[in-house]
Amino acid sequence: MNLMRPWIVLLCFVLAAPATVAAPVQTPPPATTAPAPAVPANVPLLAPVVVSGVVPGPGLWKVSKGDHVLWVLGTLSPLPGHIQWESHEVEQALAQSKQVLLAPKIKMKADIGFFGKLFLLPTAYGARKNPDGKTLDQVMDAPTYARWLVLKKQYIGDDGGIERWRPLFAAQELYKKALKTNGLSNDGGVSGAVDALAKRGGVPETPVEYQVEIKQPREALKAFKAAAPSDLECFNRTLDSIEHDVPAMTARANAWATGDLEELRQLPDSHRRDACVTAITSAGFAHQLGLDDVPAQLQAVWLAAARKALADNTTSFALLPMNELLSSTGYLARLKALGYAVEAPIGLDEAPAAAGSAAPAPAGSAAAH
């Protein structure tokens, strides 16, 4: 529903995994399992400089029941913007797979017809702006606005139009420009590379989506526009993240690219995305749109898809955000609690909370039963 795009794009950004373009991939080797390749000697690790060149990424988690296996790749955002991700392990897993589960995401649906779209067009684009024509300096305190001006000058430049945007949208634009300036990107081409490999091997890809139907789009837009105060936590957390967390983000991106999962688990996460998700799901309009329980709904949808893939196929493949794999309460922890065997990649110790903090791995790792 393109005419509602300004705010639907934002919802999908904070509630779902981002997509990106494909990275170069190699012809898959014979379908045999093998440990993750060693980090190439030519990969620079001069923090906070981002790595570049050909990188292997992390090993795979392995979820199994009987002789049926689901291989899971943990994704991360941001990642280095100038890498060529080439994972022999992923190629081998995909060569054996009968299905690929895409990363879980929210899908917005609003059936309002052609004339309804025409009517909503000015309203939808107005949802990106502050109510009553206010500018950013009028909707936040002076110290916060002063921080914004410093970062805006550094990463965006002289853009007067953005001063009328709601903090939630302005924060997203600032974050996007800051990533690019610091040599980072949404996912380094990983999702595109998996897509290319799947298409090359004729492996069907299955979207994993929680669909939200907007039954009264006009009322929803009005409610969204009226929820502006909830933007400020996301805005402040984004400023914090850009001011203080870029070195940690770069280190996390480097750790993913070089397959150092222990390092990745130890590095702090800014939790900026969590603050922005909360800004939306705690707003008054969220219940009206069915967005107040999105994380739980997404998990339920993915678990159902994963269990079906494991039941139907001897080998399947899935993409999941890395935090869900390293968490003791994440998606794989839930599968482990349901009786599935979960194995962590070689080189990743069992997470501190014995539950299913992440556990799975490619060939040769010890099962975490």
Side-chain angles (χ1 to χ4, degrees):
M1 157 81 214
N2 292 333
L3 297 180
M4 297 176 70
R5 188 173 179 82
W7 64 285
I8 287 181
V9 164
L10 177 67
L11 294 177
C12 291
F13 168 78
V14 298
L15 296 173
T20 183
V21 294
V25 292
Q26 296 178 343
T27 303
T32 57
T33 51
V39 177
N42 63 343
V43 175
L45 291 171
L46 302 177
V49 177
V50 293
V51 301
S52 61
V54 179
V55 298
L60 298 177
W61 273 256
K62 179 183 178 183
V63 181
S64 60
K65 197 158 197 177
D67 58 353
H68 286 212
V69 174
L70 173 67
W71 296 104
V72 184
L73 173 65
T75 59
L76 186 72
S77 182
L79 284 179
H82 301 288
I83 58 171
Q84 292 181 346
W85 175 67
E86 295 180 0
S87 170
H88 298 291
E89 188 180 11
V90 169
E91 293 169 7
Q92 291 165 0
L94 281 168
Q96 301 172 58
S97 295
K98 303 300 180 184
Q99 182 182 13
V100 174
L101 299 182
L102 300 179
K105 61 179 58 180
I106 185 174
K107 181 178 181 180
M108 311 292 284
K109 178 183 178 182
D111 185 10
I112 58 174
F114 176 73
F115 289 104
K117 292 177 182 178
L118 290 180
F119 178 82
L120 280 174
L121 179 59
T123 308
Y125 279 89
R128 185 170 65 179
K129 295 183 178 180
N130 285 309
D132 304 320
K134 291 182 178 180
T135 53
L136 288 174
D137 63 323
Q138 295 174 311
V139 298
M140 62 185 63
D141 60 72
T144 300
Y145 184 68
R147 294 172 63 202
W148 155 258
L149 285 180
V150 171
L151 294 174
K152 176 192 170 187
K153 181 178 180 180
Q154 181 177 357
Y155 294 114
I156 297 178
D158 297 326
D159 182 350
I162 200 172
E163 290 293 323
R164 296 190 178 277
W165 289 14
R166 284 179 52 167
L168 210 57
F169 289 95
Q172 167 55 10
E173 182 68 11
L174 178 65
Y175 184 74
K176 181 177 69 174
K177 294 293 179 62
L179 290 188
K180 183 176 181 180
T181 300
N182 286 285
L184 301 169
S185 69
N186 271 343
D187 81 345
V190 172
S191 59
V194 170
D195 177 69
L197 281 171
K199 283 182 168 57
R200 179 190 299 175
V203 185
E205 296 175 289
T206 302
V208 182
E209 299 172 338
Y210 170 52
Q211 183 166 291
V212 176
E213 184 176 1
I214 305 173
K215 296 180 179 179
Q216 297 180 310
R218 288 177 229 170
E219 289 73 13
L221 279 169
K222 291 178 183 176
F224 179 77
K225 292 172 72 174
S230 65
D231 292 7
L232 291 177
E233 178 61 27
C234 173
F235 187 82
N236 277 298
R237 198 64 199 89
T238 300
L239 298 187
D240 291 343
S241 184
I242 295 171
E243 287 174 337
H244 307 297
D245 299 338
V246 168
M249 282 192 285
T250 300
R252 285 171 59 82
N254 287 349
W256 186 98
T258 57
D260 192 343
L261 290 175
E262 278 295 345
E263 174 72 6
L264 180 60
R265 186 162 64 182
Q266 299 300 320
L267 289 167
D269 188 347
S270 71
H271 300 294
R272 184 199 72 89
R273 182 180 178 276
D274 294 342
C276 294
V277 168
T278 300
I280 288 185
T281 58
S282 64
F285 71 94
H287 180 72
Q288 178 183 344
L289 298 185
L291 293 173
D292 48 347
D293 59 351
V294 163
Q297 293 288 354
L298 280 176
Q299 184 184 78
V301 169
W302 188 87
L303 288 174
R307 298 181 73 181
K308 187 176 189 305
L310 278 160
D312 293 348
N313 309 309
T314 53
T315 306
S316 306
F317 188 89
L319 295 167
L320 273 182
M322 184 63 76
N323 65 303
E324 294 294 348
L325 308 184
L326 295 176
S327 169
S328 61
T329 58
Y331 288 19
L332 295 193
R334 289 294 308 278
L335 282 179
K336 186 176 179 182
L338 290 169
Y340 293 85
V342 179
E343 303 176 39
I346 292 173
L348 180 64
D349 295 334
E350 183 74 14
S357 89
S365 59
H369 294 291

